[in-house]
Amino acid sequence: MKNSRRQFMILSAAGACTLALNGKVQAQAMVAETDPQAVALGYKANAMTVDKAKFAKYAAPQACSNCALYQGAAGSAAGGCALFAGKQVSSKGWCSAYAKKA
């Protein structure tokens, strides 16, 4: 009986570590421009490629890095976004939900 309990505890700890690492890897995935939510929001990884005729709201200095929804560190190449849970967006990207940081 002691071995079974010990094995259970070891396997439980290993499983918890695996789940934690798996969540961390998924959090680092970048949003693809072809992702359905990204398409719906007009997300572009490079703001310079935004179709200005389709998205008249876009203005030149706007980018994910200066958006209120961007969760990345200042100066980072990518970071999290409140709209794309578990994925990162390019700091130079843009989408139609852009809201200037206060």
Side-chain angles (χ1 to χ4, degrees), residues 57 62-63 66-70 94-102:
K57 179 183 169 185
Q62 295 178 349
N66 58 24
C67 176
L69 301 170
Y70 184 69
W94 182 87
C95 81
S96 61
Y98 174 84
K100 186 176 182 178
K101 272 187 184 171

Side-chain angles (χ1 to χ4, degrees), residues 1-79:
M1 285 292 174
K2 290 182 182 180
N3 277 342
S4 295
R5 184 170 182 221
R6 184 174 295 147
Q7 287 175 344
F8 172 77
M9 296 301 286
I10 291 170
L11 291 175
S12 295
C17 289
T18 301
L19 288 174
L21 290 174
N22 188 27
K24 201 170 228 184
V25 169
Q26 288 179 353
Q28 296 175 356
M30 293 294 289
V31 173
E33 290 182 5
T34 56
D35 182 273
Q37 185 174 358
V39 171
L41 292 170
Y43 172 76
K44 294 291 182 184
N46 182 351
M48 302 306 263
T49 63
V50 172
D51 182 356
K52 294 171 185 88
K54 190 173 180 182
F55 298 102
K57 179 183 169 185
Y58 172 75
Q62 295 178 349
C64 292
S65 62
N66 58 24
C67 176
L69 301 170
Y70 184 69
Q71 300 167 345
S76 63

